[in-house]
Amino acid sequence: MSLLSHIQVLIYMLQTTRGVVLHTLKYSDTTLIVDVYTETIGRVSLALAASRSRKSPTKAVLFQPLSLVELEVDIRSGTTLHRIKEAKSDYPFASIPFDPYKSAIALFVAEFLYRAVREETENRPLFAYLQHSIVWLDACRSSFANFHLVFLMRLSRFLGLYPNLDDFHAGDYFDLLNGCFTADRPQQHALYLQPDEAARLNRLMRMNYETMHLFVMNRVERNRCLTIINEYYRLHVPNFPLLHSLDVLRELFD
């Protein structure tokens, strides 16, 4: 093999990318399996040598839920598990690990993304959305109780699940199964929202992080919205489970 060919193979195998940590699983005493949504190769499963040495190029503490990391990954064809050669923080958190409310939100969002986002191809707009959202939550000092609701609704745009808001009229129902507003109550199934809840969902979908504090909800109303959004995803994402972190989140934000 010529030197040029050798260099080309090396470039192909070693790839530097940024990523969002979704899930970490202890595989053995010395190895962790980390699922990361990356900027350049989509979702990927990575093997991480779990060394506690200060000199180690990869430290397990970097891979907390929603951590933003920069990775050098050994990509090998013919396998679904690749190796992390080196890792470092791409954005050191200032508040998420130290605020119990933000930590609970981060655990929930990471678990949700782990179950909902499965594409193994590059999607830079989705990565940019995740990165922006995580940084926004970390920097926000107050009024973030609706963050996870707005995050999930806007995430649906990137997954092809976002309803057409132009079809909404006051008094409409929302058909959860078909993902649309309708003037007539669905007759073939019971998976729909009554007009009052459909109107609330429409308002929620029009919000962003800067305006969401204007939409005042108590814990019961917020939990109902969370239940509806989760049910919507379960109907449209194959094998989407009931999330373990959901109950923890429901107890927050009186």
Side-chain angles (χ1 to χ4, degrees), residues 3-203:
L3 178 60
L4 179 59
S5 297
H6 179 76
I7 293 174
Q8 288 174 336
V9 171
L10 184 62
I11 291 174
Y12 171 75
M13 294 176 61
L14 291 179
Q15 184 163 349
T16 299
T17 185
R18 296 184 297 172
V20 177
V21 177
L22 306 182
H23 184 261
T24 302
L25 175 68
K26 185 176 181 180
Y27 181 73
S28 68
D29 290 338
T30 59
T31 305
L32 299 176
I33 305 299
V34 184
D35 281 274
V36 182
Y37 190 79
T38 70
E39 183 176 26
T40 59
I41 50 179
R43 178 167 166 167
V44 64
S45 295
L46 305 171
L48 169 68
S51 173
R52 296 183 178 180
S53 170
R54 290 185 177 182
K55 297 182 179 180
S56 172
T58 56
K59 298 180 177 64
V61 70
L62 293 175
F63 296 89
Q64 302 301 312
L66 292 193
S67 292
L68 296 167
V69 291
E70 183 177 322
L71 306 169
E72 185 179 37
V73 183
D74 186 355
I75 301 293
R76 296 180 181 269
S77 59
T79 180
T80 58
L81 182 63
H82 310 287
R83 287 201 168 272
I84 299 174
K85 303 293 289 184
E86 188 172 352
K88 62 182 180 180
S89 175
D90 189 51
Y91 173 84
F93 284 141
S95 66
I96 288 178
F98 316 109
D99 184 311
Y101 294 98
K102 290 185 179 182
S103 293
I105 289 174
L107 285 171
F108 170 75
V109 168
E111 185 183 9
F112 198 100
L113 291 170
Y114 175 67
R115 299 297 184 181
V117 179
R118 301 171 183 176
E119 59 183 307
E120 298 177 351
T121 56
E122 177 184 314
N123 186 337
R124 288 179 183 264
L126 173 55
F127 179 82
Y129 170 68
L130 300 181
Q131 182 188 45
H132 167 75
S133 298
I134 294 165
V135 171
W136 188 94
L137 177 63
D138 187 62
C140 181
R141 295 185 178 182
S142 62
S143 302
F144 54 84
N146 293 335
F147 172 86
H148 51 295
L149 303 181
V150 175
F151 174 85
L152 297 184
M153 291 309 308
R154 297 178 76 85
L155 175 67
S156 67
R157 289 181 182 272
F158 299 93
L159 304 183
L161 306 178
Y162 198 75
N164 184 354
L165 302 185
D166 294 336
D167 290 344
F168 174 78
H169 298 89
D172 279 356
Y173 295 83
F174 183 72
D175 186 329
L176 289 165
L177 186 61
N178 294 300
C180 63
F181 293 98
T182 174
D184 301 317
R185 180 172 62 85
Q187 301 296 316
Q188 304 301 317
H189 60 83
L191 299 170
Y192 61 86
L193 303 181
Q194 296 286 348
D196 58 334
E197 289 194 328
R200 180 179 297 153
L201 187 66
N202 175 64
R203 291 196 299 273

Side-chain angles (χ1 to χ4, degrees), residues 145-150 200 203-204 207 212-226 253-254:
N146 293 335
F147 172 86
H148 51 295
L149 303 181
V150 175
R200 180 179 297 153
R203 291 196 299 273
L204 176 63
M207 291 183 184
M212 65 185 183
H213 67 280
L214 301 174
F215 190 47
V216 180
M217 285 188 287
N218 59 37
R219 188 167 69 180
V220 172
E221 293 169 334
R222 187 174 294 110
N223 286 343
R224 175 58 180 160
C225 286
L226 186 59
F253 303 117
D254 279 322

